[in-house]
Amino acid sequence: MLRQIFRALIFLSATATALYQSTEDPECAKGAYSGFETNIWQFNAPATQFINITGSFFHSEWYIGPLTSTTGEDNTIGSTRTAVIGNSSFTEQLVGHYRSPTQSVIRFSLHNGSLPLDGFDLVAYTEEINVKSICGGTATYLTMTATYCTDNVAEAYDFYDKFRRDSVGAVAKELNALVFSGTCPVPPGMRFLTPGATVDDVQAAGDDDLRTI
């Protein structure tokens, strides 16, 4: 009995590993070209606030809009979600997931073949959304990464960039969160000190390092 359970665990592990690895960097068919894109933000709001909005595969209205159907259980590898963008319906499958009190990682892939969009097709893609707590729980490090196959890399790149900025920007606005660069935000009354800057430079800069997307 124990041997059968052990064999079953090995099979499930191998299956999950194969699914996880086979979708990270799709091999493009003839006529399609590889693309890669990552967006990175640092926000002056706790990651728990962002995770509450972005940390669910099924409750993803903030990013892909209302879902038309789902299969499986939320945040469970192998579950799927279906939505509509423009005139095209598409289905995504969850292929990677991690959750802790200070981090959320969701990785998903196109599951229904090519997705025709305005001016180009996404033939295959895998996206990852990583939300992590930084600065002692006072700020958020958010990355969105995609590897994809498309017939028009330039159009796909611009699409992802605008789509993500609009989506994440709306979440940040809801949370009154501002983007910052460099190290952790300092207490009120102090200024950011960027590499090579003098104290006079920083005092003159004011709070310009905090901005919307």
Side-chain angles (χ1 to χ4, degrees), residues 129-181:
I129 302 171
N130 189 337
V131 182
K132 182 168 64 174
S133 178
I134 57 174
C135 303
T138 64
T140 299
Y141 183 77
L142 194 159
T143 67
M144 301 181 75
T145 304
T147 55
Y148 51 86
C149 297
T150 179
D151 61 346
N152 190 323
V153 174
E155 289 286 346
Y157 189 94
D158 291 344
F159 167 80
Y160 266 120
D161 187 63
K162 184 180 187 307
F163 196 78
R164 289 170 169 178
R165 288 180 182 277
D166 290 347
S167 300
V168 176
V171 174
K173 184 176 181 180
E174 179 181 342
L175 298 176
N176 293 317
L178 298 176
V179 171
F180 70 93
S181 58

Side-chain angles (χ1 to χ4, degrees), residues 120-133:
F120 69 101
D121 287 355
L122 283 173
V123 181
Y125 62 76
T126 295
E127 290 192 62
E128 180 180 281
I129 302 171
N130 189 337
V131 182
K132 182 168 64 174
S133 178

Side-chain angles (χ1 to χ4, degrees), residues 1 7 15 21 55 58 79-80 91 97 109 127 136 149 156 158 169 174 182-183 196 198 208 212:
M1 180 66 178
R7 287 177 177 172
T15 301
Q21 292 178 342
F58 284 173
S79 61
T80 68
T91 299
H97 179 262
S109 297
E127 290 192 62
C149 297
D158 291 344
E174 179 181 342
T183 188
T198 66
D208 290 340
T212 58

